[in-house]
Amino acid sequence: MDLINLSDGNNSVRLHLLGRHRPGILPEHDLMDAEIIVDSDFISGRFLVHFFLSDLKPWSLALHSLENGQNAEWLDMGNGPTIRIECAGSDDDDSIVFIEDTSGSGTTAIIPIALDPGWVQAQREHLNEAVKTWPMEVVKTSPGSYEWKS
């Protein structure tokens, strides 16, 4: 399932959820494996990423910013890729999606995408489906200590 799916038919950026990294093992049960998939006429590529289900809250906040026409960034944890979305300045402009891996490969992909109206709501639906499919099941009780949510 996709958490992010931005496409205009020519260019696309997806964050495809692969599942829990180590299901049943604390604290990594809520760590997700995913792939960022970029596809355009010019470049295509995949990049494996990991994030905790608690990182979906900042994605929800980023969607709120995007809904209000503000640029947003997500997954900026300092040790992996960052997804940054710059909103189109007008109806004639494309939105720009940046995938930046400055701490690892040093690579940045810049993908212009002509997004349809309502694209943010579609991303919210992806988010809601992901939260239903993979609910947070681990609670941090103190630094370095975890238990199953009751």
Side-chain angles (χ1 to χ4, degrees):
M1 117 179 355
D2 289 335
L3 175 62
I4 300 172
N5 189 339
L6 305 171
S7 177
D8 63 10
N10 293 319
N11 298 328
S12 70
V13 174
R14 296 172 39 219
L15 188 128
H16 185 75
L17 299 173
L18 301 171
R20 295 183 188 272
H21 182 67
R22 296 183 72 188
I25 298 174
L26 290 173
E28 294 179 3
H29 180 78
D30 281 354
L31 183 65
M32 295 296 292
D33 290 335
E35 277 186 310
I36 297 173
I37 303 168
V38 175
D39 192 26
S40 76
D41 291 338
F42 184 68
I43 66 167
S44 63
R46 295 171 177 266
F47 191 84
L48 186 62
V49 296
H50 308 282
F51 63 89
F52 283 97
L53 289 168
S54 58
D55 294 319
L56 294 179
K57 177 70 173 169
W59 175 235
S60 177
L61 296 173
L63 289 173
H64 181 73
S65 295
L66 292 164
E67 197 167 45
N68 292 316
Q70 301 170 342
N71 300 337
E73 191 171 279
W74 184 61
L75 280 183
D76 184 12
M77 295 181 264
N79 61 348
T82 299
I83 298 172
R84 185 166 39 103
I85 302 172
E86 292 185 0
C87 295
S90 71
D91 291 339
D92 296 329
D93 292 337
D94 291 341
S95 293
I96 309 293
V97 180
F98 296 80
I99 309 297
E100 300 170 314
D101 181 36
T102 54
S103 66
S105 66
T107 303
T108 299
I110 303 170
I111 311 297
I113 302 177
L115 296 169
D116 293 328
W119 69 273
V120 174
Q121 182 57 36
Q123 302 318 300
R124 277 197 195 287
E125 291 169 11
H126 292 305
L127 173 60
N128 290 338
E129 189 63 30
V131 169
K132 280 188 231 171
T133 303
W134 290 291
M136 290 192 338
E137 297 176 339
V138 176
V139 176
K140 185 175 186 176
T141 56
S142 63
S145 188
Y146 302 87
E147 64 185 41
W148 295 106
K149 210 175 198 181
S150 41

